[in-house]
Amino acid sequence: MAEVANVKEYMAQLGRNARAASRAIAAASTGVKNKALLAIADALDNNRITLVAENQKDLAAAKANGLEPAMVDRLAVKPATIDAMIEGLRQVAALPDPCGAITDMNYRPTGIQVGKMRVPLGVVGIIYESRPNVTIDAASLCLKSGNAAILRGGSESIHSNRAIAACLAEGLKVAGLPASVVQIVETTDRAAVGELIAMPEFVDVIVPRGGKSLIERISKDAKVPVIKHLDGICHVFIDSKADLDKAFDIAMNAKTHRYGVCNAMETLLVDEQVAAQILPRLAAAYAEKGVELRGDEKTRAIIQANAATEEDWATEYLAPILSIKVVSGLDEAIDHITRYSSQHTDAIVTEDFTRARRFINEVDSSSVMVNASTRFADGFEYGLGAEIGISTDKIHARGPVGLEGLTSQKWVVFGDGHVRV
């Protein structure tokens, strides 16, 4: 698609299309929505060569433009990436449809029945960077939850997203749904983002997925509600009652499984009673992986590390860098997390049930884990099929946002000629 002459009018037209399509998808049966999801999966499977070829255009441009390695990694569409997108679609199709479910029905003294019914939000705008698989995650969840979607991926993934959009259109057509149920913003003009977040007459909620600067800008300028998280400053605390073999595996996986993701560990907290036992072993393993260590004074008395600064504790590295602090126990660990955590994901490694319960009760993050890697904080891993994003907000949706997070509830009342007196 050539760049549009009038971005404002182009975005308004996408908004009008989405608002009309939202009525069609909200009225669609579960069977029709699942048919569309499975048809999109088939379209992806049948167009593997095209998807990879179009992605190669984006990768070549990204490297030529000096995009950071972590961003290039997110951008790549490999055979395994396509497999994961297909599996995600099929998982979402297999999930229960939240729409129309009526709960909490009860009779009031007046004789009326009162309850709540789960309903779509309407039109969801998603703004994201690099990862083309987000296009499928977002489309599948919006579709199954009865929402129309306007998707604005980064300019660096425009060829990949256009190829995926063709598969989306093919699947929607098979199910007899309007192509405008899921629309891709095809212009790379940055003004499109400003328009998308300022159309409350057409868009009901915005979900930004990307770097902190993007999300801060959208949160500041949006005229519609935003579901978001800013940072992923995730902690793992190794308690004095931890199984140190478990602690080693978790600390390694949480940091080195992937660096450029929001659920990677950025700070390791270690109880002083076990620090001398576990830190040298971890330091050697991190050195093999090329991870730079930055530690407090107690850490540097045990292993070789650069001095950690106040800024380190508050930094999401998204890189092979790890801050380490030796703490006096559970209370100091919780105090540190309370001060520096971005309320995304924090974990404790312990065999003490009482301490585990204290940790999950007192750590105020959207995901709190016991004896598990922070890398599990993901919609796919949580059984949501996929996720549209992770929310660290405290209203509506929190943590990985799946189908239920893309719906709301309305009150429903049943009577039999009842009138209020």
Side-chain angles (χ1 to χ4, degrees), residues 235-251 253-254 346-357 359-360 368-376:
H235 300 76
V236 172
F237 168 52
I238 300 176
D239 180 48
S240 63
K241 296 292 184 70
D243 178 315
L244 296 187
D245 288 332
K246 291 180 186 176
F248 176 84
D249 291 340
I250 290 168
N253 181 262
D346 297 294
I348 184 174
V349 186
T350 187
E351 297 300 305
D352 187 302
F353 178 77
T354 301
R355 294 182 185 181
R357 282 303 303 261
F359 190 86
I360 62 176
V368 184
M369 302 183 170
V370 177
N371 295 330
S373 169
T374 58
R375 287 286 290 123
F376 282 109

Side-chain angles (χ1 to χ4, degrees), residues 7-8 27 106 132 137-138 143 158 162 169 220 265 284 314 331 343 351 358 373 389 421:
V7 173
K8 187 177 184 69
N106 64 87
D137 290 351
L143 199 163
I158 189 65
R162 285 172 180 167
K220 176 176 176 287
M265 172 180 65
D331 287 331
Q343 300 185 314
E351 297 300 305
R358 267 202 65 200
S373 169
V421 295

Side-chain angles (χ1 to χ4, degrees), residues 282-340:
L282 282 169
Y286 284 133
E288 289 183 7
K289 296 279 190 177
V291 178
E292 177 193 341
L293 303 181
R294 301 178 183 178
D296 69 337
E297 187 175 346
K298 290 181 180 179
T299 297
R300 288 181 283 116
I302 300 170
I303 60 171
Q304 186 171 358
N306 295 321
T309 65
E310 178 70 15
E311 184 181 359
D312 284 311
W313 308 126
T315 298
E316 180 184 26
Y317 298 116
L318 298 174
I321 305 171
L322 177 66
S323 299
I324 304 175
K325 183 176 184 179
V326 174
V327 296
S328 60
L330 180 61
D331 287 331
E332 187 179 352
I334 293 175
D335 287 346
H336 181 95
I337 292 170
T338 299
R339 180 173 180 181
Y340 296 105

Side-chain angles (χ1 to χ4, degrees), residues 44-67:
L44 290 173
D45 199 21
N46 295 333
N47 288 277
R48 287 174 177 267
I49 294 173
T50 300
L51 291 168
V52 172
E54 291 301 302
N55 180 248
Q56 287 299 316
K57 296 178 183 177
D58 290 329
L59 289 175
K63 292 171 183 175
N65 293 329
L67 202 66

